[in-house]
Amino acid sequence: MRGPALHDRFVLAVAALFLCAHIASPARHLEDIDSVNFALGLRHYDVAAHQPHPPGYPVFIVLARGSAALVDVVVQADPADPEALASRDARAMSLLAAVAGALALFFLYGILRTIASPGTPAVLAPAATALAACTPLFWLTASRPLSDMPGLAGALGCQYLLLRAARHDISLRRAILAALACGVAVGVRSQVTWLVVPLLVWTIARVWRRGTVHMAFAVAGAALAGVLTWAVPMVWLTGGLDAYRTALASQAGEDLDGVPMLLLTPGVRPLAQALADTFVWPWGTWLLAAAAIALAAAGVVGLRRQRGMATWLVLGFAPYLAFHLLVQETETTRYALPTVPAIVALVVLVSTRWARHVLQPVVVLIGITSLAVSVRAHHQYAAAGMTSSEVLARMTDAAEGLPERPHVAMHRRVWAETRRIRHMLTPVSAFDVLPSPRAREWQEALPAWERDAPVWWLVDPRRGDRGVVDPLSMRLREPVRWPMPVAALLGGMRPHAFDWYDVSRPAWVLRDGWSLTPELAGVTAAASQGLPAARASAIVRGHDGASTLVVGGRFVAPAESVQTLDVRIGESWDAATWRVEDAIGPGAFAVAWTIPAGVLPAHGYVPLMVGATGEADRTSPVFLEQFDVQPSGVPVLALGAGWYEPERNVATGRTWRWVSDTSSLRVRGAVGDVRLDIAGTYPRHYGTAPVLEILAGGRPIATHTLSRPFSIESVIRASDLPPDGRIEWRVSSSFVAGERTGSADARRLALEIASLQVRAVR
């Protein structure tokens, strides 16, 4: 008995240390929209008002309110202080998650001892329990004010009761108790259903086979009774069955809107991404995940002699895994939490069966490394200074120092994901939040810009429409990011990352009809606003003196077609104050003009419109992919031959333009030396690093051997710049796109340019 007793004390010590570490450093912030909903539910339970969001989590709310009562004994929050109340709620739910994590370790230990086959080393259960405690996702989720860890603890507790009831001779009393617990546990978190119902059905079948049908119905009835204990009060508090059904349908629509489900978009790449989200990011790093996955895969082979563990894994986790991969948003890393007990059990199993002297030290090393990653991530999370609530508090402080209330535009995702926390923390806001129509959010700020009112923009970094505003006017105030490794463990957290920009008094703002980025091109095409069928419009800020205007793009038409590009500045198209015409042919074009002094007003904004008329029919579109207007003395770029259309990765938001091995661009408006800031990358198949040669007036002025990725600066002296500002690029390596893709794409590609800027050298 000394062995089992020693193992019991070891697991008790692990759970106690785990609990103490988490209590000592609790969460003090509501970082996720779900945690905000839970906090609102602690104050007033109303599922119809998403307090919390459907399906309601009534058992979790009851437990969290008990935890909040304990926290109130220690921390007396001021009811009139929204931030203090939010911190109290976060601490209460974080404490509940920590206790649930410790209980989950006990239940996992009990399960592994219950299902162990004869001859299984006794060290399997305590070793797997310790490794689970060290796993980064398990450790960090036990700190978050969410229902995931209480849900996992409830599921493991129910699995333990079911497996104990079903082993050897069926115990009807234990089976009924386990079924009742299953019904109650589903009220903690709805995903518990997928973790306990298959085992519950298996248990009922064993009761039926070894007893009577009445005994089986008794077990099923106990499960139903457990559900009714929380379902009936929840529906009653919601306002009745119809009100609850409406709330549930609303939540389902929000959950499914835009979620990249593998079930609806099957494919190799989505499957690979889902598997990485599920099995890699819970470990925080690729190296750690690779070692664990390799050992777990080998452990599957050892299940042939572990019938009990095989039953537990197949019935207790396989259904949830299928549901998770096919239906859930796998980007949300915490949804993969239920896979952690299964993975660690397989990892430890293989180390107890083969090559023990080699694999057991490897498992110990995995545990130590996992603990180091977990502690670091926990510290980053607990000491976070870039949560959305803290940024909103800083915005409030910054707004109080301005003479006029700032107007805040937000990308639709940021607006939706911060709505609850804005209402919770800033019920009387110091700034005005503008409406956020899909795909055209920035246009709500046009009246504020035209009045020279301060404007802030909360930008989704994965969106590609930042090009609608003069980039020189976008001043980054706060990037809301989480550092690694905690960022990987918080994948899918809402609000996602966003950037707080001050965009007051921009030199220009686009309206409609432009294609500066792939996203804007899509919006223009969807609204049928592209040239020549419609006109592109913008507003331009006035100033004293001349200005430099650049308009460029692509004319998609048969050879010999001609279009006349009209650019007019004034109050209306028919009463234009200024007009320039330039004939363009098929392919890429870039036109630069100097706007004389006096055309633009000294103050305020004036409309600018671009139209195209000519011999080509309306099915030959003109895509406007370049635009800039700056006062003389501020250099601007016009991209010429060899530059291709902008491209974008929808998943990451990364944008780039391919450039050919020979290309040209023009620098206009400069009055002295200028500096080119160039960043990008090149394909991996290049045998050697490519060389970029920059020429001006036919003479080489700079040569750069590029790294992958590269970021270089190239200063061009005013004496080297020709009168027309033309600069040429030559790249030593290139390829034909169609030769590598098997398509008819005849473009010769050399480099992916992610960022290209020109600045005056002061």
Side-chain angles (χ1 to χ4, degrees):
M1 295 297 295
R2 294 181 59 188
L6 178 61
H7 294 159
D8 292 346
R9 289 194 293 271
F10 172 76
V11 171
L12 178 62
V14 169
L17 290 173
F18 179 90
L19 181 60
C20 291
H22 285 77
I23 292 178
S25 185
R28 296 179 174 84
H29 42 258
L30 301 171
E31 88 287 10
D32 190 272
I33 188 173
D34 287 348
S35 63
V36 174
N37 292 336
F38 288 138
L40 293 172
L42 292 182
R43 304 174 193 180
H44 176 66
Y45 187 81
D46 186 352
V47 180
H50 283 215
Q51 297 183 199
H53 50 289
Y57 309 87
V59 178
F60 172 77
I61 292 296
V62 170
L63 296 174
R65 285 185 175 179
S67 179
L70 293 176
V71 172
D72 281 337
V73 175
V74 180
V75 180
Q76 294 293 330
D78 182 2
D81 186 350
E83 292 188 31
L85 282 177
S87 179
R88 188 281 309 267
D89 296 336
R91 288 170 180 263
M93 291 186 287
S94 177
L95 173 62
L96 176 59
V99 173
L103 290 175
L105 295 176
F106 280 120
F107 292 139
L108 177 60
Y109 174 65
I111 289 172
L112 294 176
R113 289 193 59 180
T114 300
I115 63 178
S117 300
T120 300
V123 74
L124 171 64
T129 303
L131 183 58
C134 296
T135 304
L137 182 61
F138 190 95
W139 184 285
L140 187 65
T141 310
S143 298
R144 301 186 66 182
L146 293 165
S147 64
D148 297 82
M149 186 56 76
L152 178 63
L156 291 177
C158 293
Q159 290 179 353
Y160 172 65
L161 294 175
L162 289 169
L163 291 168
R164 279 183 58 85
R167 69 176 184 175
H168 306 306
D169 295 330
I170 290 293
S171 169
L172 180 61
R173 181 177 61 83
R174 287 182 176 178
I176 290 176
L177 177 62
L180 181 64
C182 290
V184 174
V186 173
V188 177
R189 184 170 176 81
S190 59
Q191 284 89 335
V192 171
T193 305
W194 296 92
L195 295 166
V196 301
V197 168
L199 271 174
L200 175 61
V201 173
W202 173 73
T203 302
I204 293 175
R206 288 175 65 86
V207 170
W208 191 339
R209 187 168 64 248
R210 298 200 177 191
T212 65
V213 65
H214 298 291
M215 296 170 60
F217 274 110
V219 177
L224 179 60
V227 172
L228 293 178
T229 57
W230 55 262
V232 172
M234 178 185 68
V235 172
W236 177 72
L237 290 172
T238 305
L241 194 58
D242 290 340
Y244 180 75
R245 188 186 300 114
T246 301
L248 192 62
S250 172
Q251 179 66 27
E254 292 182 11
D255 288 344
L256 298 179
D257 183 23
V259 174
M261 291 190 296
L262 186 62
L263 183 65
L264 300 179
T265 57
V268 176
R269 180 171 294 181
L271 176 60
Q273 183 62 55
L275 293 174
D277 292 337
T278 303
F279 296 110
V280 175
W281 297 127
W283 296 88
T285 64
W286 276 94
L287 185 61
L288 198 56
I293 292 171
L295 290 177
V300 173
V301 180
L303 291 177
R304 291 179 299 175
R305 298 182 182 180
Q306 295 287 337
R307 184 175 178 180
M309 183 177 290
T311 301
W312 174 57
L313 293 176
V314 171
L315 296 179
F317 295 98
Y320 177 83
L321 180 61
F323 166 75
H324 171 67
L325 292 175
L326 294 175
V327 177
Q328 293 197 121
E329 187 177 20
T330 58
E331 180 190 2
T332 305
T333 312
R334 59 187 172 91
Y335 291 169
L337 177 65
T339 66
V340 171
I343 296 297
V344 298
L346 290 172
V347 168
V348 176
L349 175 63
V350 72
S351 70
T352 62
R353 295 192 60 85
W354 300 295
R356 300 181 183 179
H357 296 295
V358 176
L359 293 182
Q360 287 182 359
V362 171
V363 172
V364 172
L365 181 60
I366 290 176
I368 294 173
T369 308
S370 297
L371 182 60
V373 174
S374 300
V375 171
R376 180 187 174 197
H378 188 185
H379 173 73
Q380 292 173 341
Y381 174 77
M386 282 300 176
T387 63
S388 56
S389 59
E390 289 170 331
V391 171
L392 289 171
R394 296 183 193 183
M395 290 174 62
T396 300
D397 294 340
E400 292 174 351
L402 296 177
E404 182 180 350
R405 289 166 62 92
H407 300 267
V408 180
M410 302 183 186
H411 275 134
R412 179 71 182 185
R413 179 190 61 75
V414 182
W415 179 88
E417 293 179 357
T418 61
R419 178 174 48 185
R420 303 285 283 182
I421 200 162
R422 280 188 277 116
H423 291 170
M424 171 184 279
L425 297 180
T426 56
V428 181
S429 179
F431 46 83
D432 294 328
V433 177
L434 299 174
S436 185
R438 293 184 184 275
R440 299 177 181 275
E441 298 92 335
W442 83 92
Q443 294 192 1
E444 296 295 327
L446 286 170
W449 276 316
E450 291 176 335
R451 292 188 295 103
D452 279 342
V455 175
W456 295 339
W457 193 6
L458 302 189
V459 172
D460 180 352
R462 292 188 291 188
R463 287 283 297 273
D465 59 356
R466 276 175 288 179
V468 298
V469 180
D470 171 25
L472 297 182
S473 69
M474 295 189 65
R475 294 175 289 278
L476 180 64
R477 298 194 63 151
E478 294 280 2
V480 182
R481 299 287 191 279
W482 291 86
M484 292 294 286
V486 71
L489 303 173
L490 298 179
M493 186 185 68
R494 298 168 299 170
H496 293 68
F498 64 88
D499 297 319
W500 170 20
Y501 281 96
D502 187 336
V503 202
S504 302
R505 301 169 61 86
W508 51 265
V509 182
L510 304 183
R511 288 183 181 270
D512 297 307
W514 302 89
S515 302
L516 268 66
T517 68
E519 183 172 335
L520 291 176
V523 172
T524 298
S528 300
Q529 294 174 326
L531 304 182
R535 299 183 177 110
S537 59
I539 59 172
V540 179
R541 184 173 181 80
H543 69 94
D544 295 326
S547 301
T548 305
L549 171 66
V550 170
V551 176
R554 204 166 309 279
F555 178 31
V556 181
E560 314 251 339
S561 300
V562 176
Q563 282 280 10
T564 299
L565 192 68
D566 299 337
V567 180
R568 305 190 182 193
I569 298 177
E571 293 300 326
S572 68
W573 185 264
D574 296 327
T577 59
W578 183 68
R579 175 177 178 177
V580 173
E581 296 185 355
D582 193 23
I584 58 175
F589 67 90
V591 187
W593 300 281
T594 297
I595 303 177
V599 172
L600 295 178
H603 305 285
Y605 286 85
V606 63
L608 179 146
M609 291 176 283
V610 179
T613 58
E615 299 174 0
D617 58 34
R618 294 179 180 271
T619 62
S620 301
V622 176
F623 299 101
L624 298 179
E625 299 168 352
Q626 299 179 55
F627 180 82
D628 201 358
V629 56
Q630 299 292 342
S632 293
V634 178
V636 296
L637 286 175
L639 306 181
W643 289 85
Y644 297 105
E645 64 274 10
E647 300 181 48
R648 171 173 171 253
N649 184 312
V650 178
T652 63
R654 187 177 72 91
T655 59
W656 68 93
R657 283 178 184 263
W658 279 104
V659 64
S660 184
D661 54 349
T662 58
S663 60
S664 66
L665 53 88
R666 283 187 290 167
V667 179
R668 299 298 300 269
V671 295
D673 299 348
V674 297
R675 184 186 73 202
L676 288 178
D677 296 325
I678 312 167
T681 188
Y682 56 84
R684 293 182 181 274
H685 69 264
Y686 287 174
T688 59
V691 176
L692 170 63
E693 187 178 21
I694 301 177
L695 302 91
R699 296 182 297 104
I701 57 175
T703 301
H704 302 276
T705 300
L706 305 179
S707 60
R708 190 181 188 279
F710 59 85
S711 179
I712 59 176
E713 297 178 357
S714 186
V715 175
I716 303 175
R717 299 186 179 278
S719 58
D720 293 331
L721 202 62
D724 62 356
R726 182 182 176 87
I727 296 174
E728 295 180 348
W729 284 12
R730 294 177 184 172
V731 185
S732 61
S733 301
S734 63
F735 65 98
V736 177
E739 294 177 357
R740 299 194 63 83
T741 61
S743 65
D745 190 346
R747 295 179 302 166
R748 178 164 290 281
L749 309 178
L751 304 175
E752 286 184 21
I753 303 300
S755 174
L756 175 63
Q757 295 179 324
V758 61
R759 301 182 186 276
V761 177
R762 303 297 180 186

